[in-house]
Amino acid sequence: MRLGLSQGLSTGGFVPSGVTLLLDEDDVPAAAVAVGMRKLREDYTGYAMRVTSYSDNSNIADVSFDSDGLVSASSPVTQAGGSITAATLGELSGSDYLYTTIWYDQSGNGRNFTNSTLSAQPFITYAGTLQDAPLFDGSNDFLGCGYEFSSTGDDDYTYTAVCKTSSSSTTQGLFSDLQGGSFNSGIEVNAVSSVWRHHVDTQDLVTTHATSTNKALVNASFSNDGSSNNHRLRLDGSQQQTTTSENITGAARGILSIGCRRSTLNSGTFVNGWVGNIYEAVCFETQLTDAQSEALEANMAAHYSITLA
């Protein structure tokens, strides 16, 4: 057993006992898109991710959550293409490289994070070693969900993730809805000054919160209300800055991606890839209140053993 979860299986998949899943917390609103290495919503009955074999990219498998509601070596796999004889992700990994082809959205909105280019997909197994979470190599890896937050006419949002960088030598993008131009939003690490940035249009929030090789809980939000605190960045539960106002031109924003500063979707140019793991990415089409952010962060921190400031 892991992290206090109780085993439980049903025809609908893992059912927790005595544990509140992240998206079932009372103070957490409905997510626009949510992916993770654990089950995030009790009503979700789908797969965690789809993986493709490097040695034979026609061998494709859908990965279920294990009996603890996690993606692990014991996660059952189901053939989705080619020939799969393995019963679990551990068996499937073998000595191979497995790419994360689809990271399934658990929000109920069907906004899966995908990438159709095999060589630009993050590893979930590297040379037979199963990773804790999708591993992005910084060169061209990213996953996009094919969704533009501005398409509904509401530019408010919150981007939240648990991540870990394995490099301090490059500028790395964690979230982006930029394909071209400056009317964008996202989160990045600037390795030169070792600071986190939450950028909205041409304005950056720069924090002195040091980057490290430990897991980080990043929570960035924006409200298109013109106030002086509409642009926020929280790191490991600590609010870093709330004194900048900015606006977004909705029509100039693009498809939401993770693992880069700018993706190649919509004929864009890839810039500043993430180097390391992304464990969880949950986005909301609203700026969370303090209470909502605190509930979200407390749940994430408890699961991933992150100390909140």
Side-chain angles (χ1 to χ4, degrees):
M1 300 301 297
R2 290 185 284 274
L3 300 169
L5 297 183
S6 300
Q7 291 185 2
L9 294 174
S10 73
T11 55
F14 169 76
V15 177
S17 176
V19 172
T20 302
L21 300 185
L22 178 68
L23 297 183
D24 297 326
E25 291 279 5
D26 288 341
D27 287 329
V28 176
V33 59
V35 296
M37 294 299 290
R38 59 171 171 155
K39 188 166 181 179
L40 299 173
R41 189 169 61 91
E42 186 173 353
D43 288 343
Y44 181 71
T45 58
Y47 296 110
M49 61 178 56
R50 175 170 289 185
V51 300
T52 302
S53 169
Y54 171 79
S55 60
D56 185 346
N57 62 23
S58 66
N59 290 340
I60 305 168
D62 282 319
V63 180
S64 298
F65 295 104
D66 68 13
S67 58
D68 289 334
L70 307 174
V71 176
S72 73
S74 60
S75 288
V77 294
T78 302
Q79 181 175 301
S83 177
I84 300 296
T85 59
T88 66
L89 181 56
E91 294 173 2
L92 184 65
S93 294
S95 60
D96 203 356
Y97 295 82
L98 298 181
Y99 293 102
T100 309
T101 302
I102 302 174
W103 207 352
Y104 288 108
D105 176 24
Q106 299 183 47
S107 72
N109 295 314
R111 295 166 181 154
N112 303 325
F113 278 106
T114 66
N115 191 329
S116 60
T117 302
L118 185 70
S119 61
Q121 298 166 0
F123 291 108
I124 190 60
T125 297
Y126 189 87
T129 300
L130 180 63
Q131 304 297 298
D132 292 338
L135 176 64
F136 295 75
D137 66 9
S139 64
N140 62 349
D141 292 356
F142 77 92
L143 295 172
C145 75
Y147 177 66
E148 298 183 30
F149 271 32
S150 60
S151 63
T152 65
D154 184 354
D155 290 320
D156 297 2
Y157 68 83
T158 301
Y159 295 160
T160 310
V162 174
C163 59
K164 182 172 67 174
T165 178
S166 56
S167 171
S168 60
S169 61
T170 59
T171 299
Q172 305 172 42
L174 179 61
F175 282 96
S176 176
D177 62 23
L178 172 66
Q179 271 69 61
S182 60
F183 299 101
N184 65 290
S185 55
I187 309 170
E188 68 180 24
V189 172
N190 185 312
V192 175
S193 52
S194 296
V195 296
W196 287 90
R197 297 178 185 270
H198 174 209
H199 49 83
V200 175
D201 192 4
T202 58
Q203 179 68 53
D204 286 340
L205 292 190
V206 180
T207 174
T208 56
H209 186 91
T211 59
S212 72
T213 56
N214 297 325
K215 296 185 185 76
L217 200 171
V218 185
N219 181 343
S221 63
F222 174 77
S223 178
N224 199 27
D225 59 8
S227 68
S228 61
N229 67 342
N230 63 343
H231 182 187
R232 302 178 182 178
L233 177 61
R234 296 170 61 97
L235 295 165
D236 294 340
S238 174
Q239 191 152 279
Q240 300 295 308
Q241 187 173 351
T242 62
T243 57
T244 306
S245 63
E246 187 58 87
N247 293 308
I248 297 177
T249 302
R253 298 174 73 187
I255 292 173
L256 178 66
S257 301
I258 56 174
C260 62
R261 172 69 170 81
R262 180 187 297 157
S263 75
T264 57
L265 296 173
N266 287 353
S267 301
T269 302
F270 182 90
V271 174
N272 300 138
W274 186 256
V275 184
N277 306 97
I278 299 177
Y279 296 78
E280 204 155 284
V282 184
C283 306
F284 304 88
E285 203 156 16
T286 185
Q287 183 176 68
L288 299 189
T289 65
D290 288 344
Q292 291 169 337
S293 291
E294 288 165 4
L296 185 80
E297 292 162 353
N299 187 295
M300 287 178 158
H303 181 79
Y304 291 102
S305 300
I306 296 172
T307 299
L308 296 179

